[in-house]
Structure formats: structure tokens, C-alpha cells
Amino acid sequence: MDAEGLLLSLELASGSGLGLSPDRRASLLTSLTLVKRDYRFDRVLFWGRILGLVADYYIAQGLSEDQLAPRQTLYSMNCMEWSLLPPATEEMMVQTAVVKGRFMGDPSHEYEHTEIQKVKDGDKTFDDEVVIDKAVSIIPRGALFKTPFGPIHVNRTFEGLTLPEAKKLSSYFHFREPVDLKTKTLLEKADLDPSLDFLDSLEHDIPKGSWSVQMERGGTLVVLRSLLWPGLTFYHAPRTRNHGFVYMGTGEKNLDLPFML
């Protein structure tokens, strides 16, 4: 969710029962404004909170003018002091893949494994954030547009989806580089608008049924929740520009979902 509308966004996404205390909200509102200024980001997104056993990690992302360019990820333990997380390397991804269970909430904590001796909690935080982000970062169709020259920008003319459109999974895209779209044939792409339909749609996600679409607040708010990554909430108020997502969970994937559907 965009840091500039943080208070409204947290209120709209509060239907899942997880939120932030008033002092945490105030701290985030102030500190993320400074992060945007100091790092010269075009936009700053409050990505969410990963719940740890000792303490929680608060995650934010800095975006450049090209919305799909590599993002910078920051973490904080107190919502005031932010630190950049290093880019995830292939070696780090392999190492953290063997670590199972909850986060400790201490970046210096080291996990031990029979094959790989030590993995730090801070490294695991960033790698898991990358994996979750690729799976559940969402935008509504039309919120971004692709220029003929390639860069992706925020669509200033976007006025929200209509109510019938907002109820369909096909109206929502993954906010990352497309994967499935590149495998489609020219015939399958014939009805797509290249300036708007340049991302992967949620309707093709596997397993089928991994998303829950619900209407809240008397039908004025559409809420999507991920059943594969419990804790992810996306909201959109139809016919308005208000939309965003936030993750507040333990960082654990629901591997039993295919057997539950």
C-alpha cells in the first residue's frame, strides 16, 4: 500500500483482524516520508509485517519512476529506523530454502542445518519477502500502463474498476515481471491491450481456488485474500483510485492448500 495514503489504506485492509497500533501508524507515516525523501524514491510502499517469535519485521519497498524496475527493500524493527536489505543472490535463496519454521525476529540470529551450517534470520527475511512478493503483490487492471518505449508508469487517469469487473479475478494482475504471459501464443494475445494487459492475471494462478474474493462494507469494498500465503490482504474500492495490499503473517506458506480445496 502506498505510504502517502497509509492511514486510509490500513483502515480499509483491517477486515482481516490484523492491524497496527496508533503509535506504530504515526511512526510509519513519519518515517516512510523521510525514507522517500532521503533515498529519492518515486513511491514508497508499506509492504507489511512479518511476525516473529521475539519481534516483528516491518517491510517497505522503494520504487523508481519505472514501476517494474528492481525495487529496493527496507526493514525496520521499530517503524522508525530503516535499513536496506541486500539483493537476494542465488546462493542465498538456496541456503534459506532449507530453513523451515517461524522467524525469530532477531536479524543476527543464526539457524543451523546439517548441510548448511549457518543462515542468518536477516537473510531469511529478505529471501522470503522476495518469494511472497512475487506470489501475492497485486494491482487492479488499469492502475499501471506501459508506454510504447517500455517503461511502466502509474496511470493518473485510472478511476477504479466497475463493480462487476472488481468481482472477477481476471481484473487483477501480479505486480511483477510477467511469466505466464510470455508463454502465450499470438492468438491468445489477440484480445489483449498491450498498454494495460502486460502482466500475469490472477485467474491463471495454481492451484485454482487459491484466492478468496469477498465484498465488504455494504458492497463498497472488494477484498482479496490469499489462501496460499495466509496474511495477505488486497483491497479495492470500485470506481475509486483506492487500492493496495498488505501482508501481515508469519511468512509461512500453506502447503496443505491443494488438499483443502
Side-chain angles (χ1 to χ4, degrees):
M1 55 179 62
D2 201 312
E4 291 186 357
L6 183 66
L7 298 182
L8 175 61
S9 298
L10 287 172
E11 182 66 27
L12 293 176
S14 62
S16 297
L18 290 175
L20 300 176
S21 62
D23 61 322
R24 292 295 190 195
R25 295 186 184 202
S27 298
L28 281 174
L29 196 61
T30 303
S31 63
L32 291 180
T33 301
L34 297 177
V35 165
K36 180 180 178 181
R37 182 200 67 184
D38 295 342
Y39 288 92
R40 298 182 180 180
F41 292 135
D42 183 67
R43 283 201 304 155
V44 173
L45 303 180
F46 175 60
W47 187 86
R49 178 176 62 166
I50 297 179
L51 308 176
L53 296 174
V54 177
D56 300 337
Y57 291 104
Y58 297 86
I59 309 293
Q61 291 180 331
L63 281 68
S64 61
E65 188 175 353
D66 185 351
Q67 299 296 298
L68 281 189
R71 306 167 201 165
Q72 302 227 35
T73 304
L74 305 95
Y75 80 95
S76 174
M77 309 298 293
N78 56 12
C79 297
M80 288 298 294
E81 300 171 347
W82 294 89
S83 302
L84 277 172
L85 285 167
T89 63
E90 290 294 330
E91 183 182 0
M92 290 170 59
M93 298 292 285
V94 171
Q95 289 180 343
T96 57
V98 302
V99 180
K100 306 298 180 184
R102 294 281 301 275
F103 286 88
M104 289 301 297
D106 179 5
S108 62
H109 176 79
E110 294 183 340
Y111 298 90
E112 293 187 358
H113 190 264
T114 55
E115 297 179 5
I116 300 172
Q117 294 300 319
K118 296 179 179 179
V119 176
K120 287 188 176 181
D121 201 51
D123 295 337
K124 183 175 184 293
T125 299
F126 182 68
D127 292 346
D128 279 26
E129 182 271 339
V130 170
V131 172
I132 298 172
D133 185 63
K134 289 182 178 180
V136 297
S137 293
I138 309 171
I139 58 166
R141 182 180 184 271
L144 300 178
F145 75 95
K146 186 175 184 178
T147 66
F149 304 103
I152 313 299
H153 297 291
V154 175
N155 187 358
R156 305 297 179 186
T157 64
F158 177 67
E159 295 298 334
L161 301 172
T162 63
L163 187 58
E165 289 175 339
K167 295 179 180 180
K168 301 177 182 177
L169 274 180
S170 57
S171 298
Y172 302 96
F173 297 145
H174 284 286
F175 188 20
R176 55 163 168 74
E177 285 289 340
V179 177
D180 299 335
L181 188 65
K182 296 178 180 179
T183 64
K184 289 189 175 182
T185 64
L186 292 176
L187 185 60
E188 292 174 317
K189 295 180 181 179
D191 295 329
L192 301 182
D193 185 337
S195 64
L196 298 177
D197 303 313
F198 54 88
L199 298 172
D200 292 331
S201 172
L202 265 62
E203 67 174 336
H204 303 302
D205 281 7
I206 297 174
K208 291 286 186 181
S210 60
W211 290 98
S212 166
V213 183
Q214 298 175 331
M215 300 296 298
E216 296 185 0
R217 299 181 183 244
T220 60
L221 187 70
V222 179
V223 176
L224 275 67
R225 294 184 176 90
S226 174
L227 304 181
L228 193 59
W229 292 97
L232 186 283
T233 302
F234 170 87
Y235 69 89
H236 175 53
R239 296 195 178 280
T240 73
R241 297 172 59 89
N242 294 328
H243 69 274
F245 69 89
V246 64
Y247 177 81
M248 293 191 185
T250 61
E252 294 176 296
K253 188 176 184 179
N254 181 14
L255 298 177
D256 295 328
L257 180 63
F259 306 99
M260 299 167 63
L261 296 175

